[in-house]
Amino acid sequence: MTAATHFPNFEYSASEIFKYLNVFKDFTLLLNNGNIVKFTSNDEEAFKKWLDGNGVQNIREENNWVAK
């Protein structure tokens, strides 16, 4: 089963998002066009599952994502 292309109350489709980072309910998203957008979800787990289900890269899972 594939994830929906849009998440309720979020204006961008999953295909427009390149990577994301989240802290609590706050998400910072890097779009494919280079813009960065912020989104606060009322359901953090559902939004994260939607991103992951659409193959959007979680920055925290990248090697060496923390700057030293």
Side-chain angles (χ1 to χ4, degrees):
M1 182 164 73
T2 59
T5 59
H6 284 82
F7 190 83
N9 299 317
F10 184 66
E11 67 180 283
Y12 301 94
S13 69
S15 64
E16 294 178 85
I17 307 166
F18 182 58
K19 295 182 180 187
Y20 76 93
L21 178 70
N22 81 291
V23 177
F24 301 108
K25 293 182 178 185
D26 297 322
F27 288 80
T28 302
L29 305 113
L30 174 60
L31 303 182
N32 291 324
N33 66 8
N35 289 339
I36 296 174
V37 297
K38 301 265 187 180
F39 179 69
T40 300
S41 176
N42 290 331
D43 188 343
E44 175 188 3
E45 280 303 309
F47 190 63
K48 186 176 182 319
K49 285 181 183 179
W50 176 76
L51 291 167
D52 293 340
N54 279 287
V56 178
Q57 177 64 42
N58 181 345
I59 293 172
R60 290 185 188 271
E61 295 175 1
E62 294 181 353
N63 288 336
N64 302 314
W65 76 273
V66 177
K68 294 181 181 183

